[in-house]
């Protein structure tokens, strides 16, 4: 089963606090620049500033949706599958550490992770978020969105 975007969703899920913090910073910096019309002094029109705030808010909405979708999929997984997936993808544990903690062979760890990834992708798909939908919804957000800090630094 193809699972590139479902794995990407898990990685993003692990980084959600950081992503939300960056988006909040971007939104707040733009709102603050509207006081005393600082943005106008930098050549940013009111319309452009409002457009950027709306765009960042929409990105935050997508991140909140991603959190909900991934959380729901994880809850539907078998306990052992969910635990190994979370250990590897969210807590970034090594295969060796996972094997030792579970007292299983390294090859078994690889196989169980592969099965867990497939189960996760299958559940996401059953929720209406297959590979294509994940790519359509989140590709721009996860790979092409400039960091709000980059925006702030350029101002």
């Amino acid at each position: 089963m193809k699972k590139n975007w479902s794995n990407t969703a898990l990685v993003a899920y692990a980084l959600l606090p950081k992503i939300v913090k960056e988006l909040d910073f971007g939104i707040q910096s733009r709102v603050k620049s509207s006081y005393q019309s600082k943005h106008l002094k930098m050549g940013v029109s009111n319309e452009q500033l409002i457009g950027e705030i709306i765009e960042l808010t929409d990105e935050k909405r997508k991140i909140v949706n991603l959190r909900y979708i991934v959380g729901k999929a994880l809850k539907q997984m078998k306990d052992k599958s969910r635990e190994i997936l979370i250990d590897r993808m969210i807590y970034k544990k090594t295969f060796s550490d996972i094997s030792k903690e579970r007292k299983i062979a390294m090859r078994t760890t690889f196989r169980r992770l592969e099965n867990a990834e497939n189960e996760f992708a299958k559940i996401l798909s059953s929720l209406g978020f297959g590979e294509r939908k994940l790519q359509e919804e989140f590709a721009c957000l996860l790979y092409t969105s400039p960091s709000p800090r980059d925006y702030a630094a350029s101002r």
Side-chain angles (χ1 to χ4, degrees):
M1 171 174 264
K2 188 175 177 186
K3 56 189 183 322
N4 295 334
W5 282 99
S6 55
N7 283 351
T8 302
L10 272 172
V11 171
Y13 184 81
L15 297 172
L16 283 178
K18 188 174 187 175
I19 293 169
V20 168
K21 186 177 178 182
E22 291 290 325
L23 288 170
D24 283 341
F25 178 83
I27 293 166
Q28 291 303 320
S29 67
R30 284 161 180 81
V31 169
K32 285 179 184 176
S33 80
S34 68
Y35 301 122
Q36 300 174 352
S37 301
K38 291 179 186 177
H39 62 287
L40 294 173
K41 296 172 189 166
M42 294 184 281
V44 178
S45 70
N46 288 330
E47 294 80 13
Q48 185 179 359
L49 183 69
I50 291 168
E52 290 173 3
I53 292 170
I54 290 169
E55 198 173 296
L56 286 171
T57 303
D58 190 51
E59 287 184 16
K60 188 171 178 181
R61 177 194 56 80
K62 286 182 179 182
I63 286 294
V64 170
N65 287 342
L66 181 66
R67 179 174 189 234
Y68 175 77
I69 294 159
V70 170
K72 188 171 183 175
L74 288 171
K75 286 178 186 172
Q76 291 182 22
M77 293 180 71
K78 297 174 196 158
D79 289 343
K80 284 186 178 184
S81 295
R82 179 180 53 247
E83 289 167 5
I84 201 164
L85 195 63
I86 287 172
D87 281 349
R88 180 69 182 144
M89 302 299 287
I90 295 176
Y91 296 129
K92 307 292 185 212
K93 290 184 180 179
T94 65
F95 287 104
S96 177
D97 289 343
I98 294 168
S99 297
K100 288 175 187 171
E101 287 174 11
R102 299 187 187 300
K103 297 179 174 75
I104 56 176
M106 185 81 79
R107 179 66 197 130
T108 303
T109 303
F110 285 113
R111 190 183 75 250
R112 287 186 184 172
L113 180 62
E114 177 74 19
N115 292 340
E117 289 173 342
N118 287 332
E119 181 183 347
F120 179 73
K122 192 174 186 178
I123 291 170
L124 278 178
S125 186
S126 74
L127 294 171
F129 286 87
E131 291 294 306
R132 180 179 289 177
K133 179 72 171 178
L134 287 170
Q135 184 176 7
E136 288 170 2
E137 286 288 315
F138 303 109
C140 291
L141 181 64
L142 298 176
Y143 286 123
T144 61
S145 296
S147 166
R149 292 200 191 276
D150 293 340
Y151 171 85
S154 71
R155 298 286 175 206

